[in-house]
């Protein structure tokens, strides 16, 4: 199968997925409890004013008409306005999205480094301490609620040991925000040589990143361990050992290289889950990303941000899946043969 044909099939599937996501996001306004018009006017608004507001918002039209109007606005970049912040949702999203991306990337980096290392160690020393540790982390990542882990880390490292700052945002209150280039405080601090902001942003990033990183750590560790065991028992590894290659060369250059093929797919999918699943972590650590923004919008019955963020995160997740599929196609020749 050629790369162009494979990409065309995936793009066609992506269009269908995005269409389904747009329908779900649109129907949220009609499924969630509460009236969008009354939530804007307040509980003491008269029924006449509510009906006028519904007509102004286009809620008196049929669902197909509302959907066409909604998608037309989306294609023009108009995601509506937040009555809570009094800003366009697009502006709020652009302002807060880098915070979520920074948190998700830091969590994924922690999960990949620890997960691959533990997976390889567990495969090389089955039934040993690393194998038991990998199993324990797997159980913890699956069973423990992420907000509970975050609260335990806050109690341990903030309240008891006093080695990390309280979870009150992305920077210390007395530290100036670095010049905005990417919106990622760590990257912007390095680019502008603002070392005080870099130190503060890293300290405030540690706990939420570790908390969120436990989610993908478990599946990455298990996937690496299983793939590594399979690779170590394969014929090409036995042939490499018979040729006299050292243990390090066999493990790192041959076995690990082949074992990482399914891990790449897992890592890409986990990034999508992290971006969409950072809500609880951002609430616990007062992290000013789209997760905290979405939570406050739900509490305040601010429907435009809820609708828009579901659409944006859903489309982002679909694009990440497409990117992972193309990377998998590039690194795994078996897909091209199939």
């Amino acid at each position: 199968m050629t790369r162009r044909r494979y990409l065309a099939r995936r793009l066609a599937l992506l269009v269908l997925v995005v269409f389904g996501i747009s329908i779900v996001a649109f129907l949220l306004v009609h499924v969630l409890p509460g009236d969008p018009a009354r939530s804007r006017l307040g509980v003491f608004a008269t029924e006449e004013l509510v009906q006028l507001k519904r007509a102004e918002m286009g809620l008196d039209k049929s669902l197909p008409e509302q959907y066409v109007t909604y998608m037309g606005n989306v294609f023009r970049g108009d995601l509506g306005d937040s009555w809570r912040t009094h800003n366009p949702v697009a502006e709020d999203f652009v302002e807060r999205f880098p915070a979520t991306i920074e948190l998700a990337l830091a969590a994924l980096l922690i999960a990949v480094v620890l997960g691959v290392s533990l997976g390889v160690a567990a495969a090389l020393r089955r039934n040993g301490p690393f194998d038991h540790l990998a199993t324990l982390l797997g159980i913890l990542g699956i069973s423990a609620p992420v907000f509970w882990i975050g609260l335990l880390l806050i109690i341990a490292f903030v309240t008891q040991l006093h080695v990390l700052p309280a979870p009150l945002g992305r920077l210390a209150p007395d530290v100036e925000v670095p010049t905005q280039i990417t919106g990622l405080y760590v990257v912007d601090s390095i680019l502008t040589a603002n070392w005080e902001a870099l130190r503060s942003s890293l300290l405030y990033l540690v706990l939420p990143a570790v908390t969120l990183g436990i989610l993908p750590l478990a599946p990455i560790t298990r996937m690496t361990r299983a793939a590594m065991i399979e690779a170590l028992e394969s014929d090409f590894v036995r042939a490499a050992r018979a040729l006299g290659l050292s243990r390090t060369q066999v493990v790192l250059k041959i076995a690990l290289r082949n074992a990482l093929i399914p891990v790449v797919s897992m890592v890409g999918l986990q990034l999508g889950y992290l971006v969409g699943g950072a809500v609880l972590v951002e609430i616990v650590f007062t992290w000013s990303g789209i997760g905290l923004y979405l939570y406050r919008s739900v509490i305040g019955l601010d429907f435009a941000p809820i609708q828009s963020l579901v659409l944006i995160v859903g489309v982002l997740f679909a694009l990440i899946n497409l990117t992972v599929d193309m990377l998998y196609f590039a690194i795994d020749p078996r897909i091209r043969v199939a």
Side-chain angles (χ1 to χ4, degrees):
M1 184 185 299
T2 64
R3 183 188 301 269
R4 187 172 300 177
R5 183 180 175 187
Y6 184 79
L7 178 61
R9 290 177 57 181
R10 292 300 179 184
L11 286 175
L13 182 60
L14 177 66
V15 171
L16 294 176
V17 171
V18 170
F19 175 69
I21 293 171
S22 68
I23 293 178
V24 172
F26 166 74
L27 291 177
L28 274 177
V29 173
H30 304 276
V31 174
L32 291 176
D35 188 342
R38 185 171 292 280
S39 66
R40 290 198 173 192
L41 295 174
V43 294
F44 299 106
T46 64
E47 189 62 30
E48 182 181 358
L49 287 176
V50 172
Q51 293 303 324
L52 289 174
K53 191 64 176 179
R54 286 180 61 85
E56 179 186 334
M57 298 172 66
L59 297 176
D60 58 336
K61 300 178 182 179
S62 65
L63 286 180
E65 290 178 310
Q66 291 183 47
Y67 177 76
V68 172
T69 302
Y70 167 70
M71 291 307 299
N73 292 335
V74 169
F75 284 124
R76 291 195 300 270
D78 182 9
L79 301 177
D81 298 326
S82 169
W83 68 265
R84 188 176 56 83
T85 64
H86 305 290
N87 296 326
V89 175
E91 290 185 9
D92 286 340
F93 178 80
V94 171
E95 178 184 349
R96 291 166 172 80
F97 187 62
T100 299
I101 286 295
E102 183 174 50
L103 176 59
L105 290 177
L108 187 64
L109 178 63
I110 292 172
V112 169
V113 172
L114 290 181
V116 172
S117 301
L118 281 175
V120 172
L124 293 175
R125 299 175 178 85
R126 274 180 279 181
N127 299 320
F130 284 105
D131 198 7
H132 296 312
L133 178 60
T135 303
L136 177 63
L137 287 176
I139 296 173
L140 179 65
I142 294 173
S143 59
V146 65
F147 68 88
W148 179 77
I149 296 174
L151 292 175
L152 286 183
L153 292 177
I154 291 173
I155 293 172
F157 293 98
V158 178
T159 306
Q160 300 296 327
L161 298 178
H162 304 287
V163 294
L164 290 173
L168 299 175
R170 301 174 64 190
L171 279 176
D174 58 342
V175 175
E176 185 178 355
V177 175
T179 303
Q180 297 290 301
I181 300 175
T182 64
L184 312 180
Y185 282 5
V186 173
V187 176
D188 291 344
S189 299
I190 295 174
L191 294 178
T192 59
N194 189 341
W195 309 123
E196 182 182 8
L198 175 62
R199 176 182 176 276
S200 180
S201 60
L202 286 174
L203 287 175
Y204 276 84
L205 181 61
V206 169
L207 284 185
V210 170
T211 303
L212 187 60
I214 290 178
L215 286 175
L217 175 61
I220 290 175
T221 301
R222 293 200 311 271
M223 176 69 74
T224 304
R225 178 184 180 277
M228 195 67 183
I229 290 175
E230 182 180 354
L232 290 171
E233 295 176 350
S234 61
D235 292 335
F236 59 84
V237 168
R238 293 193 186 96
R241 288 170 176 164
L243 290 174
L245 296 180
S246 66
R247 178 181 174 85
T248 302
Q249 289 177 316
V250 170
V251 171
L252 297 181
K253 292 187 176 181
I254 300 178
L256 180 60
R257 188 174 181 179
N258 285 271
L260 286 180
I261 292 177
V263 177
V264 169
S265 177
M266 172 69 69
V267 169
L269 294 176
Q270 291 302 316
L271 178 59
Y273 285 122
L274 290 176
V275 173
V279 178
L280 291 177
V281 175
E282 292 188 7
I283 293 171
V284 172
F285 291 93
T286 323
W287 193 264
S288 56
I290 59 173
L292 185 60
Y293 179 62
L294 178 61
Y295 167 74
R296 289 173 175 170
S297 298
V298 172
I299 295 299
L301 295 179
D302 195 357
F303 289 93
I306 300 172
Q307 194 175 49
S308 301
L309 290 178
V310 169
L311 176 64
I312 291 172
V313 173
V315 172
L316 179 63
F317 190 82
L319 290 175
I320 291 175
N321 283 345
L322 176 64
T323 304
V324 170
D325 286 342
M326 295 310 299
L327 288 174
Y328 209 59
F329 181 88
I331 65 178
D332 193 347
R334 293 172 294 183
I335 297 180
R336 295 193 293 271
V337 173

